[in-house]
Amino acid sequence: MKKAVLFTTLILGNMLGLQAQDTLSISKSGLLEKVTQNLQLKIAQHNYQGAKADYKQTRALFLPSISASQTAMVTTNPLMAFGSKLNQEILTPMDFDPNRLNNPNQTQNFATQIEVQQPLINLDGWMGRKAAKAKMDAYGLQSKRTQEYLQLEVVKAYMQLQLAYKAVAVMQKAEGTATANLKLVDNYFKNGMVQKTDVLNVQVRVNEIKNQLASARSNVQNASDYLAFLLNEDIKGIYKPTETLEASPTEIALIATLNENRSDFQAYQKTTEAYKNMLKMQQMSLLPRLNAFGNYQLYDRKVMGFQANGYLLGAQLSWNLFDGMKSYGKIDKAKAEFQKAETEADQYKKQSQLEFQKAQRQFQDAKSKVSNAQLAWEQSKEAYRIRQNRFAQGLEKTTDVLQSETLMYQKELEYQQSIFEYQFTEQYLQFLNPKP
């Protein structure tokens, strides 16, 4: 007997230990620290790094371009053979013999060259650099706004998980109540105080609650899985919040306009600035460009030889006078894209203002809904208590008691839902209008 008890204790201990391992306790503050693991945020950061690399390439506008090469050549071409000997500084009077000039022997030449190109004045390039800088800044601000949005989404998912656990608790309580009612009605039936249909109605109610409880538990798993997805974590069990979803009404002053320094507004502003600079870049492409160049050459008949050398320095002023209206077409396109960016930024601000005003009204409605839902829940509890007492005295029908019980738990769930809506709307308002 003792061995059986010990064996059972060990099994229960292992089961409880497994259950504890499958449930991971989490807090809101702990979740917000893990937002940086989100894949969407990483994508936004990669976009910023790509824009930063594009901006880095524009350093070529003021830094020199340096290259080195070595060319090997064997020729019997009269001009090339004479030029190779001239570069190697090995010409002799006999090389001017017409027979040698017209029919030279095989000549080999190895040329090593170091070439430098230095931009001097490229006005369109400078505007392109400014456009790349504005684009990089825009991606950086977008990445910041993405992080703010994901923080809101994580908080929402956390509250949804809290609500799911609340629903499970309510349905477990409803299951206990329904089971007790079934036992009571079954005793009444055995004593001939109620009919068989009353027992069946209560049994239907018990099965209905069991289904709702199973659905509530599935919602807990779904909310936990979504939270794990947001945090980019692989878990085998479920999350369990350390805080509960509680009503904590706060006063938020209504504001007419949004904060203009919001990161996404600034991102749109930088994007518009980038398109404006792209337009200027296309316009300045019609202006001349000035670039310097130079090279240093080494010539010899042997590989990596340095028998003779020379250099070349110069500057080039180039001006594309006409390219078949191609440049003007690019200017028109850049102008249209700039105007489009301005319109999109204006539209986004107006949509955000509209959403903010709507959210403020929703917050006031949610605040009233919490108090009304709490009152309705308390009233439904009192109504159920009265009907339950009257039913025990044989003064109420079973169907009336079941309806009252259903209404009571329905109002409790509505109350919990109203708390969720209130808390989330408060967080959403802070997201729409963050503090400076």
Side-chain angles (χ1 to χ4, degrees), residues 115-387:
E115 186 174 6
V116 179
Q117 294 181 345
Q118 175 65 55
L120 296 179
I121 301 177
N122 293 278
L123 298 179
D124 58 334
W126 281 106
M127 297 311 302
R129 176 175 169 82
K130 292 179 68 175
K133 178 63 165 60
K135 177 184 175 183
M136 180 187 71
D137 293 340
Y139 273 112
L141 291 166
Q142 287 178 6
S143 178
K144 180 182 177 182
R145 188 59 176 172
T146 299
Q147 183 171 354
E148 293 172 353
Y149 164 75
L150 289 172
Q151 289 175 341
L152 174 69
E153 191 68 16
V154 166
V155 170
K156 179 183 177 182
Y158 184 73
M159 289 191 294
Q160 287 175 334
L161 184 62
Q162 290 175 318
L163 181 62
Y165 272 100
K166 282 281 189 180
V168 169
V170 171
M171 297 316 301
Q172 286 176 336
K173 186 167 56 175
E175 183 183 32
T177 302
T179 302
N181 287 338
L182 177 61
K183 184 177 181 181
L184 179 63
V185 172
D186 189 53
N187 289 334
Y188 285 170
F189 173 71
K190 291 178 181 178
N191 293 326
M193 298 173 62
V194 296
Q195 298 179 359
K196 181 65 174 178
T197 54
D198 295 320
V199 179
L200 294 176
N201 286 334
V202 179
Q203 288 178 340
V204 169
R205 174 60 180 163
V206 171
N207 292 331
E208 183 183 51
I209 291 177
K210 288 183 178 179
N211 290 334
Q212 292 176 353
L213 178 58
S215 178
R217 286 171 174 162
S218 295
N219 288 336
V220 169
Q221 184 67 63
N222 294 337
S224 180
D225 290 344
Y226 181 61
L227 198 53
F229 165 74
L230 289 177
L231 301 178
N232 192 26
E233 290 185 342
D234 295 326
I235 61 170
K236 297 181 180 179
I238 58 175
Y239 287 120
K240 185 175 182 180
T242 56
E243 302 102 343
T244 58
L245 193 63
E246 300 292 345
S248 55
T250 57
E251 294 294 335
I252 295 182
L254 298 181
I255 302 175
T257 58
L258 286 169
N259 180 11
E260 292 290 332
N261 293 325
R262 219 172 71 176
S263 55
D264 52 342
F265 290 165
Q266 293 179 344
Y268 266 95
Q269 182 180 353
K270 286 294 182 180
T271 300
T272 304
E273 181 183 338
Y275 279 107
K276 183 178 181 179
N277 289 329
M278 290 292 291
L279 171 60
K280 291 182 178 180
M281 182 187 74
Q282 294 299 335
Q283 291 172 338
M284 290 183 176
S285 66
L286 301 176
L287 300 177
R289 302 175 183 178
L290 179 62
N291 298 294
F293 61 89
N295 59 58
Y296 180 72
Q297 309 97 15
L298 297 166
Y299 299 98
D300 203 295
R301 288 177 292 180
K302 299 179 181 179
V303 179
M304 299 301 292
F306 310 111
Q307 179 174 333
N309 61 74
Y311 66 87
L312 173 67
L313 297 175
Q316 182 185 45
L317 179 67
S318 60
W319 196 349
N320 188 0
L321 298 177
F322 185 72
D323 58 0
M325 301 299 292
K326 183 178 179 181
S327 296
Y328 291 97
K330 289 182 178 181
I331 291 174
D332 291 340
K333 182 179 179 180
K335 183 178 181 181
E337 290 177 343
F338 168 58
Q339 293 173 341
K340 177 184 175 182
E342 280 188 319
T343 304
E344 288 178 343
D346 186 47
Q347 181 189 37
Y348 183 77
K349 284 186 177 181
K350 291 181 178 179
Q351 285 180 339
S352 299
Q353 180 67 36
L354 183 66
E355 183 67 21
F356 179 61
Q357 294 172 347
K358 178 182 176 182
Q360 288 188 112
R361 289 189 291 268
Q362 288 177 337
F363 178 76
Q364 297 300 326
D365 295 340
K367 186 177 180 180
S368 300
K369 188 176 180 181
V370 170
S371 57
N372 293 333
Q374 184 178 14
L375 179 61
W377 177 34
E378 292 173 352
Q379 291 173 342
S380 64
K381 284 195 296 183
E382 181 63 17
Y384 173 72
R385 186 189 65 80
I386 294 173
R387 288 187 182 276

Side-chain angles (χ1 to χ4, degrees), residues 9-79:
T9 303
L10 290 173
I11 292 179
L12 291 175
N14 290 333
M15 292 178 62
L16 291 174
L18 179 61
Q19 184 177 4
Q21 290 177 357
D22 290 343
T23 302
L24 180 61
S25 297
I26 52 172
S27 63
K28 183 189 295 186
S29 58
L31 290 177
L32 294 177
E33 293 178 355
K34 297 181 179 181
V35 171
T36 54
Q37 302 175 7
N38 181 268
L39 296 178
Q40 184 178 349
L41 179 58
K42 290 183 178 180
I43 292 173
Q45 291 171 345
H46 292 326
N47 288 335
Y48 169 72
Q49 293 298 329
K52 186 177 180 180
D54 288 339
Y55 176 63
K56 187 177 181 180
Q57 294 180 43
T58 62
R59 294 179 182 177
L61 187 66
F62 50 84
L63 293 178
S65 174
I66 304 174
S67 62
S69 65
Q70 183 172 54
T71 303
M73 181 184 69
V74 177
T75 182
T76 58
N77 180 280
L79 180 62

